């Protein structure tokens, strides 16, 4: 009897199961939908090479514009890293239509991302890494709703990341 009475409590104590993150399959509307300006809100990772940059970003805005090819976007970034303002307008985003991924190339550094299905005013990107995935949140405005923030945090937890792994811009 004790076992049966304790079963609901034991089941309730299990962590919630996570549905796999639904990535966006690129079509003709995907890329035009992400063109324009975005405000970087937060990023999360346990990948050591990214942690220093995540901690240093105090504010960032970026915009995507069409590149010279169908599989390329131009990126303009304006950010404050600690107390230094940085403007970059030389990086590119390569679009891989066959597997719906984006690759940001900035000099000799390349990183990939998959778009997570969400509100059109949000840009949630999963950054796959063999050692530790990352997640970033950007929005069309500098403020996001509590619901959007909760959605981002739910995705974080499903990737095995915690609130301590998140770095918010100011």
């Amino acid at each position: 009897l004790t076992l049966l009475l304790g079963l609901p409590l034991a089941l309730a104590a299990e962590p919630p199961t996570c549905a796999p993150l639904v990535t966006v399959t690129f079509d003709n509307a995907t890329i035009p939908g992400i063109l324009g300006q975005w405000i970087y809100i937060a990023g999360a990772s346990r990948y050591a090479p990214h942690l220093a940059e995540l901690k240093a970003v105090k504010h960032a805005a970026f915009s995507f514009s069409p590149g010279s090819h169908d599989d390329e976007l131009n990126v303009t970034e304006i950010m404050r890293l600690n107390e230094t303002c940085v403007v970059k307008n030389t990086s590119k985003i390569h679009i891989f239509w066959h597997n719906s991924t984006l690759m940001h190339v900035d000099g000799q550094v390349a990183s990939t991302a998959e778009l997570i299905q969400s509100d059109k005013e949000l840009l949630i990107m999963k950054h796959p890494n063999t050692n530790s995935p990352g997640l970033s949140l950007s929005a069309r405005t500098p403020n996001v709703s509590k619901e959007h923030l909760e959605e981002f945090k739910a995705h974080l937890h499903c990737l095995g990341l915690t609130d301590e792994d998140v770095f918010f811009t100011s």
Side-chain angles (χ1 to χ4, degrees):
L1 184 62
T2 304
L3 180 62
L4 291 176
L5 292 175
L7 188 58
L9 292 175
L11 291 174
E14 288 183 23
T17 58
C18 293
L21 297 181
V22 178
T23 57
V24 173
T25 300
F26 292 177
D27 60 24
N28 290 338
T30 305
I31 300 307
I34 66 169
L35 294 177
Q37 183 164 324
W38 295 94
I39 307 297
Y40 176 77
I41 307 291
S45 178
R46 288 190 189 140
Y47 185 56
H50 292 163
L51 291 179
E53 185 175 346
L54 286 173
K55 290 177 185 177
V57 175
K58 304 305 177 201
H59 173 78
F62 59 96
S63 62
F64 296 137
S65 60
S68 54
H69 306 285
D70 286 344
D71 59 353
E72 182 181 273
L73 296 174
N74 296 319
V75 184
T76 300
E77 301 171 89
I78 301 169
M79 61 187 127
R80 193 173 81 217
L81 298 173
N82 292 320
E83 299 307 316
T84 305
C85 288
V86 177
V87 177
K88 295 181 184 180
N89 60 6
T90 57
S91 60
K92 302 278 184 199
I93 298 280
H94 296 283
I95 304 163
F96 294 95
W97 295 93
H98 68 281
N99 64 0
S100 295
T101 59
L102 302 172
M103 179 180 286
H104 182 220
V105 179
D106 185 13
Q108 299 297 313
V109 179
S111 58
T112 59
E114 299 169 334
L115 301 179
I116 301 302
Q117 207 154 31
S118 184
D119 184 285
K120 65 182 173 116
E121 297 300 306
L122 293 182
L123 188 65
I124 299 177
M125 293 192 283
K126 177 183 170 190
H127 306 278
N129 182 302
T130 54
N131 298 326
S132 175
L135 202 65
S136 64
L137 171 65
S138 300
R140 293 287 185 182
T141 63
N143 299 310
V144 294
S145 70
K146 182 179 177 183
E147 292 78 18
H148 287 151
L149 196 53
E150 291 302 317
E151 175 187 354
F152 177 70
K153 287 183 176 184
H155 292 324
L156 281 176
H157 295 289
C158 288
L159 287 174
L161 297 165
T162 67
D163 289 350
E164 290 77 38
D165 297 316
V166 180
F167 296 92
F168 287 93
T169 57
S170 50

